[in-house]
PDB file of all heavy atoms in Angstrom:
ATOM      1  N   ASP C  28     -13.793   0.555  -4.558  1.00 98.00           N
ATOM      2  CA  ASP C  28     -13.095   0.197  -3.322  1.00 98.00           C
ATOM      3  C   ASP C  28     -11.660  -0.233  -3.608  1.00 98.00           C
ATOM      4  O   ASP C  28     -11.155  -1.213  -3.068  1.00 98.00           O
ATOM      5  CB  ASP C  28     -13.861  -0.912  -2.579  1.00 98.00           C
ATOM      6  CG  ASP C  28     -13.423  -1.010  -1.123  1.00 98.00           C
ATOM      7  OD1 ASP C  28     -12.754  -0.065  -0.635  1.00 98.00           O
ATOM      8  OD2 ASP C  28     -13.734  -2.021  -0.478  1.00 98.00           O
ATOM      9  N   GLY C  30      -8.978   1.191  -2.736  1.00 98.00           N
ATOM     10  CA  GLY C  30      -8.087   1.331  -1.576  1.00 98.00           C
ATOM     11  C   GLY C  30      -7.978   0.025  -0.814  1.00 98.00           C
ATOM     12  O   GLY C  30      -6.945  -0.280  -0.209  1.00 98.00           O
ATOM     13  N   ALA C  31      -9.046  -0.769  -0.831  1.00 98.00           N
ATOM     14  CA  ALA C  31      -9.035  -2.060  -0.124  1.00 98.00           C
ATOM     15  C   ALA C  31      -8.292  -3.091  -0.968  1.00 98.00           C
ATOM     16  O   ALA C  31      -7.376  -3.758  -0.498  1.00 98.00           O
ATOM     17  CB  ALA C  31     -10.454  -2.523   0.161  1.00 98.00           C
ATOM     18  N   THR C  32      -8.705  -3.237  -2.197  1.00 98.00           N
ATOM     19  CA  THR C  32      -7.957  -4.050  -3.168  1.00 98.00           C
ATOM     20  C   THR C  32      -8.443  -3.667  -4.562  1.00 98.00           C
ATOM     21  O   THR C  32      -9.594  -3.264  -4.719  1.00 98.00           O
ATOM     22  CB  THR C  32      -8.126  -5.574  -2.905  1.00 98.00           C
ATOM     23  OG1 THR C  32      -7.085  -6.276  -3.593  1.00 98.00           O
ATOM     24  CG2 THR C  32      -9.459  -6.121  -3.368  1.00 98.00           C
ATOM     25  N   ALA C  92       4.589 -11.056   2.419  1.00 98.00           N
ATOM     26  CA  ALA C  92       3.174 -11.325   2.164  1.00 98.00           C
ATOM     27  C   ALA C  92       2.417 -10.037   1.825  1.00 98.00           C
ATOM     28  O   ALA C  92       1.289 -10.087   1.344  1.00 98.00           O
ATOM     29  CB  ALA C  92       2.546 -11.995   3.380  1.00 98.00           C
ATOM     30  N   GLY C  93       3.016  -8.891   2.097  1.00 98.00           N
ATOM     31  CA  GLY C  93       2.328  -7.627   1.824  1.00 98.00           C
ATOM     32  C   GLY C  93       2.891  -6.525   2.715  1.00 98.00           C
ATOM     33  O   GLY C  93       3.856  -6.733   3.454  1.00 98.00           O
ATOM     34  N   THR C  94       2.263  -5.363   2.625  1.00 98.00           N
ATOM     35  CA  THR C  94       2.728  -4.211   3.408  1.00 98.00           C
ATOM     36  C   THR C  94       2.813  -4.546   4.893  1.00 98.00           C
ATOM     37  O   THR C  94       3.786  -4.196   5.568  1.00 98.00           O
ATOM     38  CB  THR C  94       1.725  -3.039   3.226  1.00 98.00           C
ATOM     39  OG1 THR C  94       1.484  -2.863   1.836  1.00 98.00           O
ATOM     40  CG2 THR C  94       2.253  -1.766   3.818  1.00 98.00           C
ATOM     41  N   THR C  95       1.785  -5.213   5.397  1.00 98.00           N
ATOM     42  CA  THR C  95       1.737  -5.519   6.825  1.00 98.00           C
ATOM     43  C   THR C  95       2.967  -6.329   7.235  1.00 98.00           C
ATOM     44  O   THR C  95       3.628  -6.011   8.231  1.00 98.00           O
ATOM     45  CB  THR C  95       0.453  -6.309   7.143  1.00 98.00           C
ATOM     46  OG1 THR C  95      -0.660  -5.510   6.735  1.00 98.00           O
ATOM     47  CG2 THR C  95       0.330  -6.635   8.618  1.00 98.00           C
ATOM     48  N   GLU C  96       3.278  -7.360   6.471  1.00 98.00           N
ATOM     49  CA  GLU C  96       4.439  -8.173   6.844  1.00 98.00           C
ATOM     50  C   GLU C  96       5.737  -7.386   6.677  1.00 98.00           C
ATOM     51  O   GLU C  96       6.662  -7.524   7.480  1.00 98.00           O
ATOM     52  CB  GLU C  96       4.519  -9.477   6.038  1.00 98.00           C
ATOM     53  CG  GLU C  96       5.592 -10.375   6.619  1.00 98.00           C
ATOM     54  CD  GLU C  96       5.790 -11.705   5.910  1.00 98.00           C
ATOM     55  OE1 GLU C  96       5.737 -11.756   4.683  1.00 98.00           O
ATOM     56  OE2 GLU C  96       6.006 -12.701   6.627  1.00 98.00           O
ATOM     57  N   ILE C  98       6.252  -4.220   7.162  1.00 98.00           N
ATOM     58  CA  ILE C  98       6.454  -3.318   8.311  1.00 98.00           C
ATOM     59  C   ILE C  98       6.818  -4.128   9.559  1.00 98.00           C
ATOM     60  O   ILE C  98       7.722  -3.771  10.314  1.00 98.00           O
ATOM     61  CB  ILE C  98       5.211  -2.435   8.551  1.00 98.00           C
ATOM     62  CG1 ILE C  98       4.940  -1.548   7.320  1.00 98.00           C
ATOM     63  CG2 ILE C  98       5.393  -1.570   9.804  1.00 98.00           C
ATOM     64  CD1 ILE C  98       3.644  -0.759   7.352  1.00 98.00           C
ATOM     65  N   HIS C 123      -2.236   3.731   8.898  1.00 98.00           N
ATOM     66  CA  HIS C 123      -3.031   2.496   8.923  1.00 98.00           C
ATOM     67  C   HIS C 123      -2.589   1.692  10.148  1.00 98.00           C
ATOM     68  O   HIS C 123      -1.439   1.801  10.587  1.00 98.00           O
ATOM     69  CB  HIS C 123      -2.720   1.732   7.632  1.00 98.00           C
ATOM     70  CG  HIS C 123      -3.531   0.503   7.410  1.00 98.00           C
ATOM     71  ND1 HIS C 123      -3.212  -0.709   7.962  1.00 98.00           N
ATOM     72  CD2 HIS C 123      -4.654   0.292   6.673  1.00 98.00           C
ATOM     73  CE1 HIS C 123      -4.090  -1.617   7.570  1.00 98.00           C
ATOM     74  NE2 HIS C 123      -4.981  -1.040   6.796  1.00 98.00           N
ATOM     75  N   SER C 125      -1.574  -1.105  10.469  1.00 98.00           N
ATOM     76  CA  SER C 125      -0.370  -1.922  10.258  1.00 98.00           C
ATOM     77  C   SER C 125       0.912  -1.109  10.426  1.00 98.00           C
ATOM     78  O   SER C 125       1.998  -1.695  10.497  1.00 98.00           O
ATOM     79  CB  SER C 125      -0.402  -2.604   8.886  1.00 98.00           C
ATOM     80  OG  SER C 125      -0.418  -1.632   7.883  1.00 98.00           O
ATOM     81  N   ASN C 126       0.801   0.204  10.487  1.00 98.00           N
ATOM     82  CA  ASN C 126       1.984   1.015  10.786  1.00 98.00           C
ATOM     83  C   ASN C 126       1.864   1.660  12.170  1.00 98.00           C
ATOM     84  O   ASN C 126       2.518   2.653  12.455  1.00 98.00           O
ATOM     85  CB  ASN C 126       2.200   2.077   9.701  1.00 98.00           C
ATOM     86  CG  ASN C 126       3.622   2.636   9.711  1.00 98.00           C
ATOM     87  OD1 ASN C 126       4.562   1.985  10.199  1.00 98.00           O
ATOM     88  ND2 ASN C 126       3.779   3.839   9.207  1.00 98.00           N
ATOM     89  N   VAL C 171       3.217   7.046   6.313  1.00 98.00           N
ATOM     90  CA  VAL C 171       2.465   6.616   5.144  1.00 98.00           C
ATOM     91  C   VAL C 171       2.703   7.610   3.999  1.00 98.00           C
ATOM     92  O   VAL C 171       2.785   8.820   4.229  1.00 98.00           O
ATOM     93  CB  VAL C 171       0.970   6.474   5.511  1.00 98.00           C
ATOM     94  CG1 VAL C 171       0.299   7.827   5.748  1.00 98.00           C
ATOM     95  CG2 VAL C 171       0.213   5.696   4.456  1.00 98.00           C
ATOM     96  N   VAL C 173       0.696   7.745   0.993  1.00 98.00           N
ATOM     97  CA  VAL C 173      -0.647   8.258   0.667  1.00 98.00           C
ATOM     98  C   VAL C 173      -1.619   7.627   1.656  1.00 98.00           C
ATOM     99  O   VAL C 173      -1.689   6.397   1.772  1.00 98.00           O
ATOM    100  CB  VAL C 173      -1.055   7.887  -0.774  1.00 98.00           C
ATOM    101  CG1 VAL C 173      -2.469   8.381  -1.069  1.00 98.00           C
ATOM    102  CG2 VAL C 173      -0.072   8.456  -1.798  1.00 98.00           C
ATOM    103  N   SER C 174      -2.375   8.463   2.366  1.00 98.00           N
ATOM    104  CA  SER C 174      -3.293   7.945   3.392  1.00 98.00           C
ATOM    105  C   SER C 174      -4.495   7.253   2.766  1.00 98.00           C
ATOM    106  O   SER C 174      -5.153   7.813   1.882  1.00 98.00           O
ATOM    107  CB  SER C 174      -3.774   9.096   4.273  1.00 98.00           C
ATOM    108  OG  SER C 174      -4.993   8.754   4.899  1.00 98.00           O
ATOM    109  N   ASN C 175      -4.793   6.050   3.263  1.00 98.00           N
ATOM    110  CA  ASN C 175      -5.947   5.310   2.726  1.00 98.00           C
ATOM    111  C   ASN C 175      -7.263   5.879   3.211  1.00 98.00           C
ATOM    112  O   ASN C 175      -8.297   5.683   2.577  1.00 98.00           O
ATOM    113  CB  ASN C 175      -5.864   3.824   3.117  1.00 98.00           C
ATOM    114  CG  ASN C 175      -6.029   3.610   4.601  1.00 98.00           C
ATOM    115  OD1 ASN C 175      -5.500   4.367   5.405  1.00 98.00           O
ATOM    116  ND2 ASN C 175      -6.775   2.596   4.979  1.00 98.00           N
ATOM    117  N   ALA C 176      -7.251   6.592   4.338  1.00 98.00           N
ATOM    118  CA  ALA C 176      -8.501   7.098   4.904  1.00 98.00           C
ATOM    119  C   ALA C 176      -8.792   8.527   4.454  1.00 98.00           C
ATOM    120  O   ALA C 176      -9.951   8.946   4.430  1.00 98.00           O
ATOM    121  CB  ALA C 176      -8.436   7.032   6.429  1.00 98.00           C
ATOM    122  N   ASP C 200       5.350   3.684   4.118  1.00 98.00           N
ATOM    123  CA  ASP C 200       4.276   2.737   3.794  1.00 98.00           C
ATOM    124  C   ASP C 200       3.669   3.180   2.469  1.00 98.00           C
ATOM    125  O   ASP C 200       2.944   4.173   2.401  1.00 98.00           O
ATOM    126  CB  ASP C 200       3.251   2.773   4.938  1.00 98.00           C
ATOM    127  CG  ASP C 200       1.973   2.014   4.608  1.00 98.00           C
ATOM    128  OD1 ASP C 200       1.821   1.561   3.455  1.00 98.00           O
ATOM    129  OD2 ASP C 200       1.111   1.906   5.495  1.00 98.00           O
ATOM    130  N   GLY C 201       3.993   2.412   1.423  1.00 98.00           N
ATOM    131  CA  GLY C 201       3.558   2.800   0.085  1.00 98.00           C
ATOM    132  C   GLY C 201       2.353   2.032  -0.432  1.00 98.00           C
ATOM    133  O   GLY C 201       2.107   2.012  -1.641  1.00 98.00           O
ATOM    134  N   ALA C 202       1.578   1.440   0.499  1.00 98.00           N
ATOM    135  CA  ALA C 202       0.446   0.597   0.068  1.00 98.00           C
ATOM    136  C   ALA C 202      -0.485   1.332  -0.892  1.00 98.00           C
ATOM    137  O   ALA C 202      -0.973   0.751  -1.858  1.00 98.00           O
ATOM    138  CB  ALA C 202      -0.335   0.103   1.291  1.00 98.00           C
ATOM    139  N   GLN C 203      -0.721   2.624  -0.618  1.00 98.00           N
ATOM    140  CA  GLN C 203      -1.683   3.365  -1.450  1.00 98.00           C
ATOM    141  C   GLN C 203      -0.999   4.230  -2.499  1.00 98.00           C
ATOM    142  O   GLN C 203      -1.671   4.993  -3.184  1.00 98.00           O
ATOM    143  CB  GLN C 203      -2.574   4.264  -0.572  1.00 98.00           C
ATOM    144  CG  GLN C 203      -3.401   3.519   0.459  1.00 98.00           C
ATOM    145  CD  GLN C 203      -4.530   2.677  -0.160  1.00 98.00           C
ATOM    146  OE1 GLN C 203      -4.904   2.865  -1.321  1.00 98.00           O
ATOM    147  NE2 GLN C 203      -5.051   1.743   0.612  1.00 98.00           N
ATOM    148  N   SER C 223       2.008  -3.586  -1.139  1.00 98.00           N
ATOM    149  CA  SER C 223       1.296  -4.843  -1.416  1.00 98.00           C
ATOM    150  C   SER C 223       0.939  -4.898  -2.892  1.00 98.00           C
ATOM    151  O   SER C 223       0.516  -3.888  -3.463  1.00 98.00           O
ATOM    152  CB  SER C 223      -0.033  -4.889  -0.642  1.00 98.00           C
ATOM    153  OG  SER C 223       0.162  -4.710   0.727  1.00 98.00           O
ATOM    154  N   HIS C 225      -1.618  -6.505  -4.206  1.00 98.00           N
ATOM    155  CA  HIS C 225      -3.053  -6.612  -4.516  1.00 98.00           C
ATOM    156  C   HIS C 225      -3.763  -5.277  -4.673  1.00 98.00           C
ATOM    157  O   HIS C 225      -4.872  -5.221  -5.185  1.00 98.00           O
ATOM    158  CB  HIS C 225      -3.767  -7.470  -3.462  1.00 98.00           C
ATOM    159  CG  HIS C 225      -3.904  -6.816  -2.119  1.00 98.00           C
ATOM    160  ND1 HIS C 225      -5.042  -6.169  -1.738  1.00 98.00           N
ATOM    161  CD2 HIS C 225      -3.055  -6.717  -1.082  1.00 98.00           C
ATOM    162  CE1 HIS C 225      -4.879  -5.703  -0.498  1.00 98.00           C
ATOM    163  NE2 HIS C 225      -3.682  -6.028  -0.076  1.00 98.00           N
ATOM    164  N   LYS C 226      -3.125  -4.197  -4.227  1.00 98.00           N
ATOM    165  CA  LYS C 226      -3.745  -2.887  -4.426  1.00 98.00           C
ATOM    166  C   LYS C 226      -3.287  -2.269  -5.743  1.00 98.00           C
ATOM    167  O   LYS C 226      -3.726  -1.200  -6.118  1.00 98.00           O
ATOM    168  CB  LYS C 226      -3.394  -1.958  -3.263  1.00 98.00           C
ATOM    169  CG  LYS C 226      -3.982  -2.419  -1.924  1.00 98.00           C
ATOM    170  CD  LYS C 226      -3.677  -1.422  -0.841  1.00 98.00           C
ATOM    171  CE  LYS C 226      -3.808  -1.972   0.554  1.00 98.00           C
ATOM    172  NZ  LYS C 226      -5.178  -2.238   0.970  1.00 98.00           N
ATOM    173  N   ARG C 359     -16.933   1.693   0.140  1.00 96.00           N
ATOM    174  CA  ARG C 359     -16.480   1.267   1.460  1.00 96.00           C
ATOM    175  C   ARG C 359     -17.149   2.098   2.549  1.00 96.00           C
ATOM    176  O   ARG C 359     -17.242   3.313   2.424  1.00 96.00           O
ATOM    177  CB  ARG C 359     -14.968   1.475   1.539  1.00 96.00           C
ATOM    178  CG  ARG C 359     -14.332   0.835   2.726  1.00 96.00           C
ATOM    179  CD  ARG C 359     -14.337  -0.647   2.567  1.00 96.00           C
ATOM    180  NE  ARG C 359     -13.337  -1.289   3.354  1.00 96.00           N
ATOM    181  CZ  ARG C 359     -13.034  -2.557   3.239  1.00 96.00           C
ATOM    182  NH1 ARG C 359     -13.643  -3.311   2.340  1.00 96.00           N
ATOM    183  NH2 ARG C 359     -12.133  -3.101   4.001  1.00 96.00           N
ATOM    184  N   SER C 361     -16.393   2.274   6.592  1.00 95.00           N
ATOM    185  CA  SER C 361     -15.532   1.635   7.583  1.00 95.00           C
ATOM    186  C   SER C 361     -14.676   2.678   8.289  1.00 95.00           C
ATOM    187  O   SER C 361     -14.697   3.863   7.930  1.00 95.00           O
ATOM    188  CB  SER C 361     -14.665   0.616   6.826  1.00 95.00           C
ATOM    189  OG  SER C 361     -13.375   0.488   7.302  1.00 95.00           O
ATOM    190  N   HIS C 363     -11.597   2.109   8.030  1.00 95.00           N
ATOM    191  CA  HIS C 363     -10.479   1.948   7.092  1.00 95.00           C
ATOM    192  C   HIS C 363      -9.172   1.552   7.785  1.00 95.00           C
ATOM    193  O   HIS C 363      -8.081   1.912   7.322  1.00 95.00           O
ATOM    194  CB  HIS C 363     -10.278   3.220   6.246  1.00 95.00           C
ATOM    195  CG  HIS C 363     -11.570   3.791   5.737  1.00 95.00           C
ATOM    196  ND1 HIS C 363     -12.372   3.110   4.849  1.00 95.00           N
ATOM    197  CD2 HIS C 363     -12.227   4.939   6.052  1.00 95.00           C
ATOM    198  CE1 HIS C 363     -13.458   3.835   4.614  1.00 95.00           C
ATOM    199  NE2 HIS C 363     -13.399   4.935   5.335  1.00 95.00           N
ATOM    200  N   CYS C 364      -9.317   0.818   8.904  1.00 97.00           N
ATOM    201  CA  CYS C 364      -8.117   0.406   9.672  1.00 97.00           C
ATOM    202  C   CYS C 364      -7.255   1.608  10.025  1.00 97.00           C
ATOM    203  O   CYS C 364      -6.019   1.518  10.037  1.00 97.00           O
ATOM    204  CB  CYS C 364      -7.291  -0.636   8.930  1.00 97.00           C
ATOM    205  SG  CYS C 364      -8.126  -2.203   8.825  1.00 97.00           S
ATOM    206  N   ARG C 379     -16.201   5.781   1.730  1.00 98.00           N
ATOM    207  CA  ARG C 379     -14.982   6.093   0.975  1.00 98.00           C
ATOM    208  C   ARG C 379     -15.089   5.563  -0.444  1.00 98.00           C
ATOM    209  O   ARG C 379     -15.382   4.394  -0.654  1.00 98.00           O
ATOM    210  CB  ARG C 379     -13.764   5.461   1.654  1.00 98.00           C
ATOM    211  CG  ARG C 379     -12.451   5.739   0.920  1.00 98.00           C
ATOM    212  CD  ARG C 379     -11.288   4.951   1.509  1.00 98.00           C
ATOM    213  NE  ARG C 379     -11.394   3.538   1.198  1.00 98.00           N
ATOM    214  CZ  ARG C 379     -10.518   2.614   1.581  1.00 98.00           C
ATOM    215  NH1 ARG C 379      -9.494   2.958   2.337  1.00 98.00           N
ATOM    216  NH2 ARG C 379     -10.677   1.355   1.254  1.00 98.00           N
TER     217      ARG C 379
HETATM  218  N1  LIG P 501      -0.980   0.652   4.774  1.00 67.20           N
HETATM  219  C1  LIG P 501      -1.950   1.335   4.139  1.00 67.20           C
HETATM  220  C2  LIG P 501      -1.809   2.796   3.906  1.00 67.20           C
HETATM  221  C3  LIG P 501      -3.079   0.648   3.699  1.00 67.20           C
HETATM  222  O1  LIG P 501      -4.049   1.327   3.059  1.00 67.20           O
HETATM  223  C4  LIG P 501      -3.207  -0.742   3.935  1.00 67.20           C
HETATM  224  C5  LIG P 501      -4.444  -1.498   3.561  1.00 67.20           C
HETATM  225  C6  LIG P 501      -2.137  -1.399   4.563  1.00 67.20           C
HETATM  226  C7  LIG P 501      -1.048  -0.663   4.971  1.00 67.20           C
HETATM  227  C8  LIG P 501      -2.134  -2.864   4.780  1.00 67.20           C
HETATM  228  O2  LIG P 501      -1.981  -3.512   3.582  1.00 67.20           O
HETATM  229  P1  LIG P 501      -2.063  -5.109   3.491  1.00 67.20           P
HETATM  230  O3  LIG P 501      -2.063  -5.400   2.037  1.00 67.20           O
HETATM  231  O4  LIG P 501      -0.847  -5.642   4.196  1.00 67.20           O
HETATM  232  O5  LIG P 501      -3.330  -5.500   4.187  1.00 67.20           O
HETATM  233  N2  LIG P 501      -5.604  -0.704   3.433  1.00 67.20           N
HETATM  234  C9  LIG P 501      -6.872  -1.156   3.337  1.00 67.20           C
HETATM  235  C10 LIG P 501      -7.973  -0.310   3.146  1.00 67.20           C
HETATM  236  O6  LIG P 501      -7.888   0.917   3.031  1.00 67.20           O
HETATM  237  N3  LIG P 501      -9.102  -1.042   3.107  1.00 67.20           N
HETATM  238  O7  LIG P 501      -8.775  -2.328   3.253  1.00 67.20           O
HETATM  239  C11 LIG P 501      -7.391  -2.417   3.407  1.00 67.20           C
END
Side-chain angles (χ1 to χ4, degrees):
D28 197 15
T32 197
T94 310
T95 302
E96 189 180 40
I98 299 173
H123 186 276
S125 62
N126 198 23
V171 71
V173 178
S174 158
N175 67 319
D200 170 354
Q203 300 290 344
S223 304
H225 71 97
K226 295 184 199 289
R359 191 71 157 190
S361 144
H363 316 296
C364 291
R379 180 187 71 180

